[in-house]
Amino acid sequence: MPSTSHPLEVVIGLGRSGTGAARLLKANGRRVLVLESRRSPELEQQAEALRSVGVEVELGQPLAAERFAKLQPGYDRVVVSPGIRWDHPVLQALRERGVRVCGEMSVAWEASGSIPWIGITGTNGKTTVTHLLSHVLSHAGLDAPMVGNVGISAAELLLERREAGTTPPDWLVVELSSYQIESSAELAPRLGLWTTLTPDHLERHGTLEAYRAIKRTLLDNSREQLLNADDADLRAHAGSWNRADWVTAGPREQLGAGLQPCLWIDGGMVMAASGALFPATALALPGAHNRQNMVLVVAAALKLGLEPALIEAALRSFPGVPHRLEQIRLLDGVRWFNDSKATNYDAAEVGITAVEGPMVVLAGGEIKQGDPRAWLEALGQRAAAVVLFGAARDAFAALISGSGYPGSVQLVEGQTEAVPLARELARRLGCSTVLLSPACASFDQYKDFEARGEHFRSLVAAL
């Protein structure tokens, strides 16, 4: 560990967030050391690029207590990537010693100054809401880039803007995972949105209560709060919110007297207290969940002062989100959808019920904790066949057969075998849709869900 009179910023992890944080800290005149546990030619290239701007990088360095022995409490700092457990024993020991530990989002928050944040969280829906809100604001002429858990480093974007000498963004539209919120408790967005809450990441957070509490931190810190009243868990805790605004994708009466939404859908129209705004069909994305996403975005845009006509025009021009119910091909009368973003049972169930059946579903990957019952029910009702791949295939096969599923279940190694088999099954069983809906994390075979979706897309394009 280098020693000098200047405080040291130790960045753990050479992913997107770690690289962005390191570059921004260095540009702010800090002394920066990046530690990465892995070693590869690609990482060596990334390391060299950072070294060229004065950042120290050490590869092949596991997260071990002795690496941090010389850090000075209240002086030096450790910045962790979202992939590292917040309760890792080394990080716990550092905090107990008084060494500050934070996430990349803390670095971006410090550097963003007076730029207002819109913070978006939720188990499912947050990526679509982030893309859609950034699109609506940009369409209205505002500079409102999206960053965060959508795969764009907030720190990197702020640095790029500064280096280009451009004016700061009007807004930052920030998707925030529970991992990012947990490691950056000081985030205080101007506006906070919460889409849904279902059990996820319990292998990391332990309980649903702990997971919920982390997400809630972001909303409690936000100046204004927008919540989805159609989510059962959020609605069950409605009494604990005294300054939140709520939206629903159905008639407002269905919520009962205790919950008055600021926006709702009735008679096919998006409604506000002032009256009908525009048709709910302005957003062409399939599924009831996308109507929930839309009303959250519309409510946020109205709060920011946008006119309904401008919001409607933006919704009509929205192309959709990559890897989220993304139609990638129509082949021999069969529509192929990439829903690689469906990384848990609940997201997968939403996708299966949103598109037209009968269908062939491709599922598998690295299995997550959660309740599979609604997912199994959706498969039973909509899927004529299921093709299982990756590490979860045997466990999924047992789950599906135990549920009394009446269709065909096939097991293969990976997507390379799954895609042509799905085409053959769709032809034989008269299916109108093939849907990649993994219900799993991707890390058994891919670096992230995007890589899994890109592989699917290329395999389908080659058919």
Side-chain angles (χ1 to χ4, degrees):
M1 200 66 70
S3 62
T4 172
S5 57
H6 297 295
L8 180 64
E9 304 272 5
V10 183
V11 177
I12 304 173
L14 198 53
R16 277 180 196 141
S17 60
T19 301
R23 279 172 39 79
L24 181 58
L25 288 166
K26 186 63 189 174
N28 286 341
R30 310 286 178 84
R31 192 165 56 101
V32 185
L33 168 66
V34 178
L35 300 178
E36 168 58 59
S37 61
R38 299 164 300 157
R39 189 188 288 276
S40 71
E42 185 187 359
L43 287 168
E44 193 55 58
Q45 274 190 323
Q46 288 176 249
E48 277 308 314
L50 283 173
R51 289 176 187 131
S52 71
V53 295
V55 174
E56 297 172 62
V57 184
E58 295 180 18
L59 301 179
Q61 294 292 333
L63 189 52
E66 56 269 20
R67 297 294 293 121
F68 304 95
K70 293 181 180 175
L71 291 185
Q72 299 177 56
Y75 191 64
D76 300 321
R77 181 168 68 165
V78 174
V79 180
V80 299
S81 81
I84 295 165
R85 292 185 67 102
W86 190 238
D87 61 358
H88 190 289
V90 172
L91 302 185
Q92 293 273 49
L94 283 167
R95 289 195 288 267
E96 284 164 12
R97 271 181 55 208
V99 174
R100 189 181 167 204
V101 183
C102 69
E104 177 241 358
M105 281 298 167
S106 298
V107 175
W109 177 253
E110 290 166 6
S112 58
S114 60
I115 302 166
W117 284 34
I118 301 170
I120 299 162
T121 197
T123 309
N124 298 309
K126 61 184 179 293
T127 297
T128 300
V129 168
T130 302
H131 276 80
L132 183 56
L133 184 54
S134 178
H135 171 82
V136 168
L137 299 182
S138 302
H139 193 273
L142 291 167
D143 183 4
M146 59 180 178
V147 293
N149 199 51
V150 283
I152 303 161
S153 162
E156 192 78 48
L157 178 119
L158 291 166
L159 180 59
E160 283 171 7
R161 290 297 185 93
R162 186 194 300 171
E163 288 176 340
T166 54
T167 53
D170 298 312
W171 294 87
L172 281 181
V173 183
V174 192
E175 180 187 325
L176 291 157
S177 70
S178 55
Y179 299 171
Q180 290 168 315
I181 298 167
E182 185 177 37
S183 61
S184 299
E186 72 273 36
L187 303 182
R190 186 79 55 85
L191 174 61
L193 279 69
W194 194 341
T195 59
T196 56
L197 189 95
T198 52
D200 198 13
H201 305 305
L202 300 190
E203 64 284 348
R204 172 132 158 195
H205 299 311
T207 65
L208 179 64
E209 288 68 33
Y211 175 54
R212 183 191 299 115
I214 291 164
K215 295 253 183 216
R216 176 147 189 163
T217 305
L218 182 78
L219 276 288
D220 283 340
N221 287 351
S222 299
R223 187 183 300 180
E224 293 189 79
Q225 306 163 335
L226 263 176
L227 284 82
N228 171 23
D230 296 335
D231 181 80
D233 191 279
L234 295 181
R235 196 170 59 248
H237 294 86
S240 68
W241 299 91
N242 56 17
R243 56 186 182 88
D245 287 316
W246 296 81
V247 300
T248 173
R252 59 177 166 175
E253 295 79 24
Q254 72 179 15
L255 298 178
L259 207 54
Q260 290 298 314
C262 65
L263 215 67
W264 62 95
I265 294 177
D266 205 353
M269 299 295 289
V270 178
M271 307 288 294
S274 58
L277 301 183
F278 47 76
T281 52
L283 185 69
L285 301 183
H289 65 292
N290 277 319
R291 291 197 160 197
Q292 296 171 18
N293 295 334
M294 176 181 67
V295 288
L296 277 167
V297 167
V298 174
L302 290 169
K303 279 182 176 292
L304 271 54
L306 272 62
E307 292 297 323
L310 206 54
I311 298 169
E312 180 188 359
L315 294 175
R316 291 191 183 279
S317 67
F318 183 62
V321 179
H323 314 296
R324 190 67 180 113
L325 282 181
E326 173 191 21
Q327 184 174 333
I328 53 176
R329 194 167 182 193
L330 179 64
L331 176 65
D332 301 332
V334 177
R335 295 190 301 161
W336 291 72
F337 285 92
N338 166 21
D339 202 19
S340 183
K341 184 80 173 65
T343 58
N344 57 49
Y345 295 123
D346 297 290
E349 183 264 334
V350 160
I352 292 164
T353 54
V355 297
E356 196 179 303
M359 67 184 72
V360 179
V361 173
L362 281 64
E366 188 178 278
I367 206 160
K368 284 177 155 184
Q369 291 181 35
D371 184 348
R373 286 175 295 184
W375 174 68
L376 291 167
E377 190 179 328
L379 288 175
Q381 291 171 353
R382 315 276 305 216
V386 184
V387 181
L388 302 173
F389 65 89
R393 61 187 182 275
D394 292 325
F396 270 10
L399 265 179
I400 291 168
S401 68
S403 73
Y405 173 71
S408 170
V409 179
Q410 307 280 337
L411 278 69
V412 295
E413 179 71 25
Q415 290 196 100
T416 306
E417 299 82 19
V419 166
L421 176 57
R423 181 188 192 180
E424 175 55 36
L425 287 165
R427 185 184 293 150
R428 180 149 47 90
L429 300 171
C431 294
S432 58
T433 300
V434 175
L435 173 66
L436 170 65
S437 180
C440 277
S442 57
F443 306 122
D444 60 330
Q445 295 178 324
Y446 301 95
K447 70 179 170 87
D448 49 35
F449 73 82
E450 290 101 335
R452 176 171 62 193
E454 293 296 342
H455 188 211
F456 178 70
R457 193 186 284 150
S458 68
L459 290 167
V460 174
L463 288 175

